[in-house]
Amino acid sequence: MASRDPVADLRRIAFLLERANEATYRVKAFRSAAATVSKTPHDELVERATAGTLAKLAGVGEVTARCVTESLAGEEPVYLRRLVSTEGADLPAEATALRQALRGDCHVHSDWSDGGSPIEEMALAAAEVGHEYFVLTDHSPRLTVARGLTAERLRRQLDHVAKLNAQLPEGFRILTGIEVDILEDGSLDQEDELLSRLDVVVGSVHSKLRDDSARMTRRMLAAIANPHLDILGHMTGRKVAAAGAGDAAHRTARTRPPSTFDLEKVLAACVEHDKAVEINSRPDRLDPPKRMLTVAVEAGCRFSIDTDAHAPGQLDWLGNGCERAALCGVPADRVVNTWTADRLLEWTASHR
């Protein structure tokens, strides 16, 4: 039987583990093994598989060695087969139709800030899940815990993305962007000149999340009125317990209640300034809550269904947001990432 591609099998396992929100160390084991195997000559891999010495390679453990051995023998690794067989149920019809209408993702991180993978790897994974584009939105400087990008680093990233786009397969592109912190006075945490150069700006509150309602409302209204902001990211800042994110105690420790603010005023400002409300698909966010999402639909808001992905497998989380959007009656024609990249850029340019 012809051998399979062990690197592809290891990468697929890592992707599925990320999509299931499994522990980072498990994902890293398979990505590290894939990196080692990709640099090892095929004949050496076969010899080591036969001799049972694959685990002596740096970055390859007993579990990943078994996967490589099975792949080289032309068999789908048992580990991969088990992951595929336990994938979640299909989305309901309306959510499936919305997912199929999405052309890209407007909120994606890389290892330039707190993501776990290079921009190139995120781009290849995005193309594999059917995207035509994604917006690279690494954090802004104030969020030091997430290695936020200084103005100098962001300029370097813009040059790097321009080079990458010249090398990527036709039909896919990386759009430049940022997840910029909304500061306490409602200003945005990056130079205006740089923000004006970006294709898409997502603005999010990451600090003082327990501000009183009046102060938080003023803060959000000022940000929404800023001509550089396009999408209001994870609007309430809440964290919910996520399946696959560790034991019960760990999940509870990661929960966070939503911020309080005048929802009607914030949504009215989004409509007035033609800004989008993000439907964040991360299983530990699912923000905004459905009750708020329903009000946003009734208010006439635009939306962006995004993953807030920090790893390649998380780019396939869009179904979470689509299911919530469908339940709340979000019309596809009001979701900005159902648009082509050119139409999206026309819309963001209109804010400037």
Side-chain angles (χ1 to χ4, degrees), residues 14 17 22-31 79 82-83:
L17 288 171
E22 292 290 350
T24 302
Y25 76 90
R26 296 182 65 195
V27 177
K28 187 176 180 180
F30 286 93
R31 291 211 177 276
Y79 200 108
R82 185 167 62 248
L83 283 175

Side-chain angles (χ1 to χ4, degrees), residues 154-164 197:
L154 180 54
R155 288 188 178 93
R156 290 206 306 270
Q157 187 182 80
L158 293 178
D159 292 340
H160 183 60
V161 169
K163 293 176 183 176
L164 285 179
R197 289 178 57 188

Side-chain angles (χ1 to χ4, degrees), residues 53-215:
T53 60
L54 279 169
K56 293 186 180 297
L57 290 171
V60 178
E62 294 296 334
V63 174
T64 51
R66 187 159 55 250
C67 292
V68 172
T69 300
E70 291 165 346
S71 187
L72 290 171
E75 304 167 3
E76 182 179 34
V78 172
Y79 200 108
L80 175 57
R81 190 160 64 244
R82 185 167 62 248
L83 283 175
V84 171
S85 69
T86 57
E87 284 186 271
D90 291 339
L91 291 172
E94 290 182 357
T96 297
L98 185 53
R99 173 65 186 91
Q100 291 172 346
L102 296 182
R103 294 172 178 262
D105 191 332
C106 294
H107 189 167
V108 174
H109 295 275
S110 77
D111 63 359
W112 281 62
S113 65
D114 62 342
S117 296
I119 301 170
E120 300 90 323
E121 190 170 342
M122 297 298 289
L124 292 173
E128 287 174 5
V129 299
H131 293 349
E132 297 173 13
Y133 59 85
F134 75 69
V135 185
L136 180 61
T137 53
D138 282 320
H139 289 285
S140 62
R142 186 68 64 92
L143 204 65
T144 53
V145 69
R147 296 180 61 242
L149 272 61
T150 62
E152 180 184 354
R153 290 182 66 218
L154 180 54
R155 288 188 178 93
R156 290 206 306 270
Q157 187 182 80
L158 293 178
D159 292 340
H160 183 60
V161 169
K163 293 176 183 176
L164 285 179
N165 273 330
Q167 302 165 6
L168 289 171
E170 186 176 354
F172 182 84
R173 64 198 283 197
I174 303 168
L175 302 182
T176 60
I178 191 171
E179 184 183 12
V180 64
D181 265 31
I182 297 174
L183 302 178
E184 291 176 47
D185 62 356
S187 61
L188 304 182
D189 179 36
Q190 191 49 273
E191 296 176 5
D192 283 347
E193 179 273 330
L194 263 176
L195 292 175
S196 69
R197 289 178 57 188
L198 300 174
D199 293 326
V200 180
V201 173
V202 177
S204 306
V205 174
H206 288 108
S207 61
K208 297 291 183 69
L209 291 164
R210 307 316 313 148
D211 264 353
D212 66 59
S213 178
R215 191 155 44 229

Side-chain angles (χ1 to χ4, degrees), residues 258-277:
S259 298
T260 59
F261 51 88
D262 189 318
L263 179 63
E264 285 73 20
K265 285 184 178 179
V266 168
L267 296 178
C270 287
V271 173
E272 177 187 354
H273 297 286
D274 195 23
K275 306 299 175 70
V277 172

